[in-house]
Amino acid sequence: MLLDGSGFLAASIGGLLIEHEGRSMLIDAGFGPRRWAASQTHPVLGVLQGGRLMQSFQAAGKDPLDLEVVAFTHLHDDHFGWAFAAPSSPFQDVRLAAAAREWASWPSSGAAHNRLEVRDGQEIFPGVTAWATPGHTPGHTSYIVESAGQRLVAFGDVFHTVAQLEQPDWKVTMDMQPEEAVHTRKLVRDELARPNTLAFGNHFSDVQFGRISPARDGLWEPAVQ
């Protein structure tokens, strides 16, 4: 089911931990330890609730202070939440990476000491390359993770639901550049159809990891978790 009992999109919020030879980084940082009622959010969103990211680090036996970088797909609060959580961020001494066009609208005093501007095609961590995918926001960035001949694309808010993979032409009210977003969705969908390519859909509820399956006429095939 794509919708919850209240008619809102059933979606997840979180981040992706990447490790390499004892080093680690995070793509996106969830919503933080907050809960917003449907009346406080965008009309199409419903309740937004975070708060479990630190528990996930603990369960994985990881310390967020050991991260080398937290890379944001874009600077919306359901992606940067924990990085700027009050009263203090668990990532306050970690480099925070986003495209220059994302930082351009950010307060000059916010994260100034550890801010990193990411360029299209830049390797920001071993095997992790930034890919400019504008549309949802002007500076929206996806990340391609490569290892041992396999690839994973963390595409942020290029897609909010698996239904958009079937209908990339749909306009999304939350996209700042709707026409650009449609163009980007088609490009990313083609990329996901390449061999040996997995994807991480941050908002894809309980099917966040998967691939575009030729055997299923190009539909989303969840990976076994």
Side-chain angles (χ1 to χ4, degrees):
M1 292 178 61
L2 295 178
L3 303 181
D4 65 17
S6 299
F8 295 107
L9 179 69
S12 51
I13 302 174
L16 179 65
L17 178 68
I18 298 170
E19 299 178 281
H20 173 77
E21 296 182 352
R23 302 165 62 186
S24 59
M25 68 162 291
L26 187 70
I27 297 176
D28 285 332
F31 187 55
R34 299 176 291 170
R35 185 184 191 277
W36 288 357
S39 61
Q40 297 175 284
T41 68
H42 191 285
V44 305
L45 291 181
V47 174
L48 283 177
Q49 181 169 340
R52 298 182 60 185
L53 186 61
M54 295 305 104
Q55 293 172 260
S56 296
F57 271 104
Q58 186 176 25
K62 302 298 177 183
D63 186 337
L65 293 176
D66 292 336
L67 295 174
E68 292 187 20
V69 62
V70 177
F72 304 114
T73 54
H74 60 297
L75 292 175
H76 281 170
D77 49 16
D78 58 329
H79 292 259
F80 68 64
W82 276 99
F84 303 106
S88 62
S89 165
F91 308 123
Q92 57 187 333
D93 295 320
V94 179
R95 288 186 302 160
L96 304 176
R101 295 189 71 179
E102 294 295 301
W103 289 123
S105 59
W106 195 255
S108 59
S109 60
H113 70 289
N114 56 349
R115 183 184 303 182
L116 174 66
E117 292 186 356
V118 174
R119 303 182 307 276
D120 183 37
Q122 178 182 358
E123 186 178 59
I124 62 168
F125 186 79
V128 181
T129 303
W131 178 23
T133 49
H136 181 64
T137 63
H140 188 283
T141 302
S142 299
Y143 296 93
I144 299 177
V145 184
E146 299 184 81
S147 177
Q150 302 291 316
R151 305 164 70 246
L152 181 141
V153 180
F155 53 69
D157 280 13
V158 172
F159 299 96
H160 295 85
T161 167
V162 294
Q164 290 174 289
L165 289 163
E166 301 175 49
Q167 301 289 345
D169 289 312
W170 283 354
K171 301 292 175 57
V172 177
T173 60
M174 293 175 289
D175 287 340
M176 294 177 64
Q177 301 168 304
E179 297 294 339
E180 185 74 18
V182 168
H183 175 70
T184 291
R185 277 195 285 277
K186 292 178 179 179
L187 287 178
V188 174
R189 192 183 189 283
D190 288 345
E191 192 70 21
L192 299 183
R194 290 179 53 185
N196 302 316
T197 301
L198 285 169
F200 173 69
N202 193 311
H203 294 308
F204 278 19
S205 193
D206 58 346
V207 291
Q208 293 172 319
F209 292 93
R211 58 171 54 85
I212 296 294
S213 172
R216 299 184 63 203
D217 296 323
L219 300 181
W220 182 254
E221 180 180 64
V224 177
Q225 298 185 44

